[in-house]
Amino acid sequence: MTDQATRSETHSDGSEEEIPGKPTAASRTTLSHIMTGSDTNLLGTVHGGVIMKLVDDAAGAVAGRHSGGPAVTASMDEMVFLEPVRVGDLVHVRAQVNWTGRSSMEVGVRVMAERWNESTPAQQVGSAYLVFAGVDGDGKPRRVPPVIPETERDKRRYQEAQIRRTHRLARRRAIKELREKRVADGIDD
């Protein structure tokens, strides 16, 4: 684990600047939206793509807040739909930065839904992990502040995010090696 309180940034002139870390709570957010008939799929429930857009919107807001500037979606992992969402449901999309690298951030998202006209507690209907990259004005990667996990739950999420990152990188490497081998063997061109 790297030092979570600060991260050094080297400028083009060779000088270094410390980037102070930000606590998990500094960028945590909830986006709420009521589902309407225009959000439905052919089965009459809310289309998964609508939920995915809300997830990406909330995660993007968190990534931008944490990084202090533009951030773009690099990947979406493990989007899980646990229960259908219905027209009239009030959906709450809760997002936070779980882990940061040099220019990337993993954002964890939990999707909750409740009936708009009932006083029953919201239930979890989905979850996802997204990776965002902080970018500069030219769209090039830029350093992002380290995240500082505050609670035991935040620390667990940080450690789990490191495991997911290791798996993402290993999967990417294995696929690249397989493709290179197939090209070398004359199977794919």
Side-chain angles (χ1 to χ4, degrees):
M1 190 183 295
T2 60
D3 177 13
Q4 296 173 349
T6 62
R7 179 171 288 134
S8 294
E9 178 177 16
T10 305
H11 296 282
S12 57
D13 64 1
S15 64
E16 284 200 17
E17 175 185 349
E18 293 289 322
I19 300 175
K22 290 185 177 179
T24 307
S27 57
R28 188 180 290 141
T29 195
T30 300
L31 174 86
S32 296
H33 189 80
I34 193 159
M35 299 290 103
T36 65
S38 63
D39 299 319
T40 60
N41 59 25
L42 297 174
L43 299 173
T45 57
V46 173
H47 194 288
V50 171
I51 301 300
M52 290 174 75
K53 182 178 183 327
L54 293 173
V55 164
D56 190 47
D57 288 347
V62 166
R65 281 181 174 184
H66 181 83
S67 68
V72 296
T73 311
S75 69
M76 178 182 271
D77 287 357
E78 302 178 37
M79 180 72 214
V80 178
F81 298 100
L82 302 169
E83 296 288 335
V85 177
R86 302 170 293 166
V87 170
D89 281 355
L90 183 57
V91 172
H92 309 286
V93 183
R94 299 178 180 153
Q96 74 172 47
V97 173
N98 291 333
W99 175 89
T100 56
R102 182 184 169 281
S103 61
S104 62
M105 301 160 275
E106 184 195 89
V107 178
V109 181
R110 177 174 288 178
V111 183
M112 308 293 288
E114 62 181 303
R115 295 303 295 166
W116 68 273
N117 60 348
E118 297 175 8
S119 59
T120 57
Q123 70 174 34
Q124 185 174 354
V125 295
S127 65
Y129 299 102
L130 295 88
V131 177
F132 279 79
V135 295
D136 63 18
D138 297 324
K140 304 288 184 208
R142 64 179 172 79
R143 291 197 180 248
V144 299
V147 67
I148 303 169
E150 299 170 285
T151 66
E152 286 305 313
R153 180 179 283 177
D154 293 340
K155 290 173 186 173
R156 176 186 51 80
R157 288 177 177 161
Y158 185 93
Q159 292 170 332
E160 291 172 356
Q162 287 179 306
I163 293 168
R164 282 187 291 275
R165 180 175 187 275
T166 299
H167 286 251
R168 275 192 297 273
L169 294 175
R171 183 178 61 234
R172 186 179 304 146
R173 192 171 34 256
I175 290 170
K176 181 181 177 188
E177 289 170 2
L178 175 65
R179 288 179 180 174
E180 289 171 351
K181 182 180 180 331
R182 291 179 62 85
V183 168
D185 292 346
I187 299 171
D188 288 338
D189 44 7

